[in-house]
């Protein structure tokens, strides 16, 4: 499965932020029992728990591009990675592993947020663009991989699993009554609602861009487009 967490901004010190990320990642061991990885590029902190399936001996994400200006991590299986890698290498990109998700930071260099148009698979991923101080989150077209986020305007937090938010000291631990009513009606929590008040689920086929904790969510794929 794999699990990812991250924090952008925040009121605490960098040391506190890194410690919170480690505690959040620790709640995701059930998603990624085979390894962990952390990165703290300027402005953002990432934590990852890995379930190793492809290139099991490789280091755990987060992965960076050649000059370490772009970082990414993903809970994903990229079905067309074998086709993407030769195209990236022809453009001068150099990948360090055979892990399918390592294509993501390099694709971002080539296509920016439009990289989702070049991915065939199931995925929830995060990309940190350090020069632009921009965070990109994306979720696959069918919503097979989960991704949640919370912000108070000064801090932006994301994770694969709701339990990660419970160990963050500044996120309220209250049920969302609107979401609960929707659950009782539909037997699931329709996106963007989640059981936790203030925590939102990124809808399937959507991407999110956060800059200075200002959040923009947009849809990049809609099944209805194929029936017009």
């Amino acid at each position: 499965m794999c699990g990812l967490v991250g924090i952008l901004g925040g009121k605490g010190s960098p040391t506190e932020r890194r410690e919170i990320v480690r505690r959040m990642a620790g709640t995701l061991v059930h998603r990624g029992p085979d390894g962990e990885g952390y990165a703290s590029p300027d402005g953002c902190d990432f934590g990852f728990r890995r379930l190793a399936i492809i290139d099991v001996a490789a280091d755990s994400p987060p992965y960076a591009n050649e000059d370490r200006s772009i970082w990414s991590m993903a809970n994903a299986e990229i079905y067309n990675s074998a086709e993407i890698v030769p195209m990236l290498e022809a453009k001068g990109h150099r990948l360090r592993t055979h892990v399918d998700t390592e294509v993501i930071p390099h694709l971002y260099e080539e296509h920016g947020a439009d990289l989702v148009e070049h991915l065939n698979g199931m995925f929830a991923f995060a990309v940190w663009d350090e020069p632009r101080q921009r965070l990109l989150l994306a979720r696959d077209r069918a919503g097979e991989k989960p991704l949640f986020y919370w912000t108070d305007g000064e801090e932006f937090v994301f994770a694969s699993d709701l339990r990660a938010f419970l160990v963050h000291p500044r996120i309220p631990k209250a049920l969302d009554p609107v979401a609960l009513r929707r659950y009782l009606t539909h037997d699931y929590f329709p996106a963007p609602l989640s059981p936790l008040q203030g925590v939102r689920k990124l809808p399937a086929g959507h991407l999110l861009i956060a800059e200075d904790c200002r959040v923009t969510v947009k849809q990049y794929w809609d099944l209805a487009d194929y029936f017009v």
Side-chain angles (χ1 to χ4, degrees), residues 63-65 70-78 81 84 88 95 99-112 115-116 119 122-128 136 138:
Y63 294 132
N65 64 342
I70 309 296
W71 290 82
S72 78
M73 54 185 178
N75 171 25
E77 185 174 351
I78 307 302
S81 63
I84 294 172
L88 290 173
L95 282 69
V99 178
D100 54 341
T101 59
E102 197 189 350
V103 302
I104 291 174
H106 302 277
L107 273 178
Y108 178 85
E109 283 190 281
E110 295 292 330
H111 303 288
L115 73 95
V116 291
L119 295 176
M122 50 183 179
F123 54 81
F125 68 76
V127 173
W128 177 242
L136 170 69

Side-chain angles (χ1 to χ4, degrees), residues 64-71 93-94 105-106 109 130-131:
N65 64 342
E66 292 84 359
D67 66 4
R68 301 172 71 84
S69 63
I70 309 296
W71 290 82
H93 294 275
R94 294 294 175 261
H106 302 277
E109 283 190 281
E130 185 173 317

